[in-house]
Amino acid sequence: MSKPFPDDTFLARWLNGELSQEEEADLRARADFEDIRKIAEGSTQIEVPSFSEGAAWEKLLAARQEGKPEKGKIRSLRILWWVAAASVLALAAVGYWWMQPKAPQFATQIGEQIEGALPDGSTYQLNAVGKLDYDPTRWAERREVALQGEAFFQVEKGSVFTVVTPSGAVSVLGTSFNVWARGDQLEVVCYSGKVKVVASRAPVEIEAGQKAVLLEDGSLSTTNLQLTPTPSWFRGWTDCEGLPLTRVFEELERQYQLDVNWENESYRVYEGGFPNDDLEQALKFICDPMELQFELSSDKTSVRIFAK
Amino acid sequence: MSIGEFSVKMGILAPKTTAPDVKCLLLLLKSISMAKPDQICEQSVFKELFWAYARPLRNFLYYKCGDPNLAEDLMQEAFLRMWAACQKVSYDKAKAFLFRVANNLFLDEVKHRKVVAKFQLNISKPVQHFTPQDELEENEFRARLEDAIARLPEKSREVFLLNRIEGLKYREIALLLDISVKAVEKRMHKALVELRKLSDLI
């Protein structure tokens, strides 16, 4: 059907740009060259299903715990007896552990914010629809907080302080910073000191006034910001500077008990913010500059957004 | 010798710094873990390895079997086995160990199931289209390519996708699969020829 290639590594060398000029010319003269080129190019567009190291790590730890008791051979009744005694002891230990104060877990509902102090005096503020927990019994050896959602931390100087999120870890010695971790996305803003962000690719260090964003390919991009001393959401204001509108509406749904139906969703960027305590004002703030109209249902639980 | 003395001697940390730089600490940790191979048993070191290799390993397995769930399961199993054998695996050998174990696990799995896992793909849509006609042709081409890649023999496919998607050099693939660069080039060439034939037949 088509003529054979000069040797059995020919196309591999072509992809690597290793062919001589004559060889390249021969290849280009072939009837099937265009097809081959399209295949080589098209195959770089393949999407690999998404993956989160954070979640996979948690799974691994759980699986490791589960698998720990080795499958040993039980040789005699006497050993079985010991096993029984040991399991009673183990049960007692588990029960005792169960009675111990559990690791506190804090969660916020829509429109809710909480603040609190960690055992070493570091403080956190947790924004709406978030989850935060840590283990106070191990705090002295390891300052580690697990976070899903958005939170601001002011960290007392001391050993390394780590915020673990599903898509990456943020570690610092003593500073203040904001972490936004929702789904497999991650954004970190540093307000003072230095912060190290570790995600799937090379770690990044940011300083006060810088922001690190986890990109889809797993790398981290850094930008400089004009910063107020603390995040605006402390002051009842959600800042959406430069965010796509879809995310602005997601943030709105986190601050208000609201269902946003946006017809004709298109990718547009919003440069502004909205107040967290006045729904109609908030909708006006977003819709007016974007030339959108809104229709709020009578019970104010759903809103229809459409073009003017 | 304590860590403090050690670091002063190595000139990594200045003596009596109150807040040592994070980077220095990490460097120090790394140098220690390199010096002592069994350190990978340490959870923090192991976690570092996990963050470095979990994704490449999982993608590698995905290119072999085309099933993201199976790929993730096998990846996890490979890490569990490494943890169980962590006393014997040095920091530098971890990557090779993981890929070798994962490869064996995959082969076991295929033997076990007696059928080759079904390969499913999803090639993302290019952004720009000028006419519906273009779009139609583009869609058709993508579907044919997906199908053709799924029909490739696993050995050609893994090499082809590691190069095309992960962007690995032939040398890197050869190292990963423990085969010669020449063999990689042959598989690569064969993959393209096969794909050309397959996309024609469909």
Side-chain angles (χ1 to χ4, degrees):
Chain A
M1 173 182 60
S2 49
K3 63 176 179 177
F5 291 93
D7 61 73
D8 60 357
T9 59
F10 191 76
L11 291 175
R13 287 185 292 122
W14 163 66
L15 278 176
N16 234 10
E18 290 169 11
L19 293 186
S20 70
Q21 274 186 349
E22 296 88 68
E23 283 175 317
E24 178 102 23
D26 281 350
L27 176 63
R28 284 175 187 277
R30 290 174 65 98
D32 53 4
F33 173 69
E34 193 46 32
D35 287 344
I36 294 170
R37 195 193 56 78
K38 266 183 96 178
I39 289 168
E41 237 161 58
S43 54
T44 61
Q45 304 293 314
I46 294 169
E47 263 175 9
V48 182
S50 70
F51 170 74
S52 149
E53 275 90 354
W57 173 251
E58 293 302 323
K59 254 180 158 172
L60 181 76
L61 287 184
R64 188 170 181 244
Q65 281 307 315
E66 226 170 70
K68 255 195 172 163
E70 292 284 299
K71 289 173 239 154
K73 282 179 206 150
I74 297 166
R75 270 171 238 138
S76 73
L77 259 170
R78 188 170 301 195
I79 289 178
L80 204 63
W81 174 246
W82 278 108
V83 169
S87 50
V88 167
L89 269 176
L91 267 175
V94 167
Y96 177 72
W97 173 79
W98 203 252
M99 305 295 278
Q100 289 288 303
K102 285 266 297 192
Q105 193 178 60
F106 303 99
T108 46
Q109 308 295 321
I110 291 172
E112 191 188 11
Q113 288 178 8
I114 57 170
E115 56 177 280
L118 297 163
D120 63 345
S122 301
T123 60
Y124 64 84
Q125 310 246 356
L126 182 62
N127 202 353
V129 197
K131 227 163 71 181
L132 185 147
D133 61 323
Y134 62 93
D135 186 350
T137 56
R138 301 180 65 186
W139 191 260
E141 45 183 291
R142 205 175 56 182
R143 299 200 292 173
E144 193 173 286
V145 173
L147 170 74
Q148 280 175 38
E150 181 171 23
F152 177 79
F153 296 91
Q154 260 171 320
V155 177
E156 290 293 317
K157 283 223 158 78
S159 61
V160 176
F161 181 102
T162 309
V163 179
V164 182
T165 78
S167 43
V170 184
S171 56
V172 299
L173 290 170
T175 90
S176 54
F177 59 102
N178 192 66
V179 180
W180 186 94
R182 297 195 188 273
D184 54 5
Q185 302 182 70
L186 175 65
E187 289 179 18
V188 181
V189 180
C190 178
Y191 284 83
S192 68
K194 256 190 191 173
V195 173
K196 182 185 165 95
V197 186
V198 184
S200 53
R201 299 238 176 127
V204 157
E205 256 183 47
I206 53 172
E207 293 180 2
Q210 288 190 313
K211 178 182 187 177
V213 177
L214 180 63
L215 301 178
E216 273 192 4
D217 67 351
S219 63
L220 288 155
S221 87
T222 317
T223 48
N224 291 315
L225 300 177
Q226 291 283 32
L227 278 191
T228 50
T230 50
S232 67
W233 57 268
F234 277 35
R235 298 177 289 282
W237 178 265
T238 299
D239 186 17
C240 305
E241 209 66 55
L243 291 187
L245 262 182
T246 39
R247 214 181 104 186
V248 174
F249 287 130
E250 275 170 33
E251 292 290 345
L252 192 71
E253 286 175 330
R254 289 192 186 105
Q255 296 299 340
Y256 297 98
Q257 194 74 51
L258 183 73
D259 206 10
V260 178
N261 301 299
W262 178 22
E263 295 170 4
N264 228 327
E265 272 178 48
S266 54
Y267 185 88
R268 294 169 69 194
V269 170
Y270 176 56
E271 301 287 348
F274 60 81
N276 293 350
D277 54 359
D278 185 338
L279 178 54
E280 274 184 55
Q281 276 294 330
L283 284 164
K284 269 194 193 140
F285 263 98
I286 302 168
C287 292
D288 283 354
M290 301 308 284
E291 304 202 306
L292 293 168
Q293 271 186 310
F294 63 91
E295 206 177 80
L296 199 56
S297 66
S298 52
D299 59 354
K300 299 196 171 180
T301 58
S302 82
V303 65
R304 191 167 75 89
I305 312 270
F306 50 99
K308 262 187 185 162
Chain B
M1 184 164 59
S2 75
I3 289 183
E5 285 168 341
F6 171 74
S7 48
V8 170
K9 269 199 179 149
M10 300 296 288
I12 295 174
L13 289 176
K16 285 185 189 163
T17 39
T18 41
D21 191 357
V22 183
K23 220 172 194 171
C24 285
L25 265 177
L26 277 174
L27 267 176
L28 181 63
L29 274 176
K30 227 171 203 164
S31 63
I32 292 170
S33 60
M34 298 253 194
K36 280 193 191 167
D38 60 346
Q39 280 289 316
I40 78 160
C41 297
E42 201 68 43
Q43 182 156 329
S44 59
V45 180
F46 199 87
K47 190 170 180 180
E48 197 180 308
L49 288 169
F50 185 83
W51 279 86
Y53 300 131
R55 185 182 294 261
L57 189 61
R58 177 270 202 176
N59 286 356
F60 166 70
L61 286 161
Y62 174 68
Y63 302 146
K64 282 170 145 337
C65 69
D67 176 348
N69 295 327
L70 179 61
E72 205 168 325
D73 286 352
L74 295 180
M75 179 274 291
Q76 178 173 305
E77 185 59 33
F79 272 98
L80 281 175
R81 299 223 176 155
M82 183 162 87
W83 219 335
C86 66
Q87 299 282 354
K88 291 175 220 140
V89 183
S90 75
Y91 192 91
D92 304 336
K93 295 273 155 57
K95 186 179 183 188
F97 181 91
L98 285 168
F99 277 82
R100 200 172 56 240
V101 169
N103 206 15
N104 291 340
L105 286 172
F106 169 79
L107 293 177
D108 284 354
E109 180 73 25
V110 171
K111 225 186 284 167
H112 180 66
R113 288 196 183 184
K114 294 251 158 62
V115 274
V116 181
K118 209 174 188 180
F119 199 91
Q120 343 151 333
L121 260 190
N122 186 14
I123 302 182
S124 62
K125 282 191 181 178
V127 201
Q128 268 188 330
H129 285 294
F130 299 104
T131 64
Q133 177 68 21
D134 282 350
E135 169 135 10
L136 212 68
E137 277 172 14
E138 189 63 50
N139 281 342
E140 201 187 323
F141 168 71
R142 249 195 351 263
R144 274 191 312 180
L145 183 57
E146 280 170 14
D147 216 69
I149 293 177
R151 286 160 187 245
L152 275 184
E154 173 242 324
K155 281 188 170 160
S156 309
R157 182 173 59 230
E158 71 183 354
V159 168
F160 184 72
L161 295 182
L162 281 171
N163 173 266
R164 297 278 85 195
I165 308 179
E166 297 291 283
L168 293 189
K169 304 258 173 6
Y170 298 155
R171 187 175 37 78
E172 294 170 313
I173 299 174
L175 220 62
L176 207 62
L177 299 178
D178 204 16
I179 54 179
S180 68
V181 175
K182 187 92 181 165
V184 173
E185 289 182 341
K186 279 184 186 172
R187 289 185 194 180
M188 200 64 202
H189 173 88
K190 196 175 153 214
L192 264 175
V193 173
E194 288 292 310
L195 285 176
R196 164 75 184 74
K197 271 190 218 155
L198 286 166
S199 64
D200 224 27
L201 288 176
I202 299 159

